[in-house]
Amino acid sequence: MMTRRKQLSEAMKASIRDAAAALFAEKGYPSVTMREIAKAAGCSHTAIYLYYNSKEELLQQIAIPSLLQLEQRLLELRGRREAVPEDRLLAVCEQYVVFCLTSGSLQTVLFMSGSVRVDDPSPELEVNVIRIRLFTHISQMLHETVTGASEAPDRESAAAIDNGRMLFYYLQGFISTYTGHLEPTAELLERTLPILRQGILTLVRGMKQN
Amino acid sequence: MMTRRKQLSEAMKASIRDAAAALFAEKGYPSVTMREIAKAAGCSHTAIYLYYNSKEELLQQIAIPSLLQLEQRLLELRGRREAVPEDRLLAVCEQYVVFCLTSGSLQTVLFMSGSVRVDDPSPELEVNVIRIRLFTHISQMLHETVTGASEAPDRESAAAIDNGRMLFYYLQGFISTYTGHLEPTAELLERTLPILRQGILTLVRGMKQN
DNA sequence: CGTCACAGTAACCATCGGTTATTCTGTGAC
DNA sequence: GTCACAGAATAACCGATGGTTACTGTGACG
């Protein structure tokens, strides 16, 4: 059966994954060493390479599930039709930003290093596929908020895409400004989230005037 | 006099500075090694530490002059009173963004890694002092554009600062999105500068409505 | 000419991500 | 029970990094 062996092996792999996820979130991807992960997972650093081919692949494997989880949360927020579009957009943007900041430069590193255009038709990394979907969700919500239409445009107008890009630049700037700060994230968010919201509303106000 | 010795020494220091500047601009700060710089400068990698305490300090020393040059260009653009405030603001923002993108992740690394708040009252690194001045210049121009006042507010209102932050997030997002892209910078700028301008104008429009 | 300060370096250190040769250990067949 | 084998895990190692230290070589100057 080989069951006990496989079981232990699976447990080791999971232990490595969890330890790495916690460390990446806590200290940021570049600052975490393979030996550190190994110690936290209870194995030698070479054992990690039995399950993951490289540090980068380990990051990807960890990032994908939590990215999908983020997407689910965004979709759930988007579906709350009892709230006005503006509030839904704010909630979604906030969720996105908080996610990027609390995952301790994990996602940011991913997004930065990808060097993939958000409108790239054939991205190679799965993480970028998900990212583009996130961009689409937020863009469509923005379009609804700006035009007042309750549905996404059947054919994505150029203006809608441009508006989405502007909002994304803004969010990305907010995130990259505060990524890697030493200040505790909770404190940081309390201090800066009002400005984030204000900026989004300012952008939306400006877009509505077109 | 010790002149000949000092002369050679100065030449060495300059050689290191120039070699490092070229390499940083070409390959990006993290990818350049001290040994690489040393080889290009014609010395041993340990010699670099006679003139600069660390790789980070070397980067700072290189960055400061070009940052000051950027500041001069911004001030010059700001002083062109024959143009409407909106156009001056656009020109300054564009200059700032182009500078960051064309210096090949040099300045961006600086700004990112500094982890210094733009409103930090006592920044330790000189590069951050300059950065905060740049922020102030652009913020004041933004304030003039939004309020129509021809002079900066004597006492910086909280609203003016918040508006400045929003614009800076936007610019920073634009920059960080396209930093490290493989696409030639000129081509990239031609494709993306219109959206940059449009976003700035959208923000300004939204701010005017307050 | 001797000596002294200092530019410059070779050898070294700890650490990194990653590879390889080896050891250890459950498992299944006899 | 025991023996051979597959595969999990590791110790030792590799080349590289940023940085330190103990030393050398050479201009400057009394």
Side-chain angles (χ1 to χ4, degrees), chain B residues 103-150:
Chain B
S103 41
S105 87
L106 195 155
Q107 312 304 333
T108 319
V109 164
L110 267 180
F111 289 168
M112 301 291 189
S113 70
S115 80
V116 160
R117 286 166 52 178
V118 87
D119 53 357
D120 188 332
S122 65
E124 61 287 1
L125 284 73
E126 184 178 354
V127 73
N128 276 315
V129 177
I130 304 175
R131 189 200 182 191
I132 291 172
R133 278 214 306 272
L134 293 181
F135 172 77
T136 305
H137 296 327
I138 297 187
S139 282
Q140 288 178 356
M141 291 186 66
L142 175 65
H143 189 257
E144 291 170 28
T145 309
V146 170
T147 64
S150 87

Side-chain angles (χ1 to χ4, degrees), chain B residues 1-2 4-5 32-35 45-46 49 54-55:
Chain B
M1 292 225 289
M2 274 207 184
R4 187 167 145 68
R5 272 288 272 270
V32 176
T33 75
M34 296 300 265
R35 286 159 174 86
H45 83 278
T46 54
Y49 291 94
S54 68
K55 191 184 177 189

Side-chain angles (χ1 to χ4, degrees), chain A:
Chain A
M1 292 225 289
M2 275 208 182
T3 104
R4 190 168 142 68
R5 273 286 272 268
K6 272 251 156 78
Q7 247 177 10
L8 286 182
S9 174
E10 289 291 321
M12 188 76 259
K13 183 170 181 177
S15 172
I16 292 169
R17 192 216 319 125
D18 295 346
L23 284 169
F24 286 162
E26 181 194 338
K27 312 173 50 177
Y29 173 74
S31 304
V32 176
T33 74
M34 295 300 265
R35 286 160 173 86
E36 210 172 346
I37 297 169
K39 186 187 279 186
C43 65
S44 161
H45 82 279
T46 54
I48 300 178
Y49 291 94
L50 296 174
Y51 303 103
Y52 305 93
N53 290 321
S54 68
K55 192 185 177 186
E56 172 73 22
E57 189 193 299
L58 180 53
L59 175 67
Q60 300 267 347
Q61 293 293 331
I62 290 170
I64 288 172
S66 62
L67 266 181
L68 290 176
Q69 189 184 337
L70 170 67
E71 188 182 19
Q72 284 314 306
R73 261 178 295 170
L74 294 197
L75 287 176
E76 200 258 337
L77 283 173
R78 187 182 177 184
R80 294 204 177 151
R81 293 289 156 153
E82 71 275 15
V84 285
E86 218 135 11
D87 287 338
R88 273 184 282 144
L89 178 67
L90 280 179
V92 162
C93 289
E94 195 173 312
Q95 188 78 230
Y96 176 77
V97 166
V98 168
F99 172 80
C100 287
L101 286 179
T102 54
S103 42
S105 87
L106 193 157
Q107 312 303 331
T108 320
V109 163
L110 270 178
F111 290 168
M112 300 292 187
S113 69
S115 79
V116 160
R117 285 167 50 178
V118 86
D119 53 358
D120 188 333
S122 66
E124 61 285 4
L125 283 74
E126 184 178 353
V127 73
N128 276 315
V129 178
I130 304 176
R131 188 200 182 189
I132 290 172
R133 278 213 307 271
L134 293 181
F135 173 77
T136 306
H137 296 326
I138 296 186
S139 282
Q140 288 178 356
M141 290 186 67
L142 176 65
H143 189 258
E144 292 169 28
T145 308
V146 170
T147 64
S150 87
E151 281 309 315
D154 15 77
R155 210 183 146 282
E156 306 239 339
S157 71
I161 293 182
D162 282 353
N163 281 347
R165 294 181 99 118
M166 292 180 221
L167 177 58
F168 241 66
Y169 290 146
Y170 180 76
L171 297 180
Q172 198 63 34
F174 186 88
I175 292 164
S176 71
T177 298
Y178 296 116
T179 293
H181 266 230
L182 330 103
E183 194 175 357
T185 313
E187 206 173 297
L188 179 87
L189 286 173
E190 191 182 350
R191 185 165 62 84
T192 56
L193 275 187
I195 301 188
L196 175 75
R197 290 199 203 93
Q198 198 183 332
I200 295 171
L201 293 178
T202 303
L203 266 175
V204 167
R205 220 180 297 132
M207 289 171 185
K208 276 184 176 169
Q209 273 193 294
N210 272 14

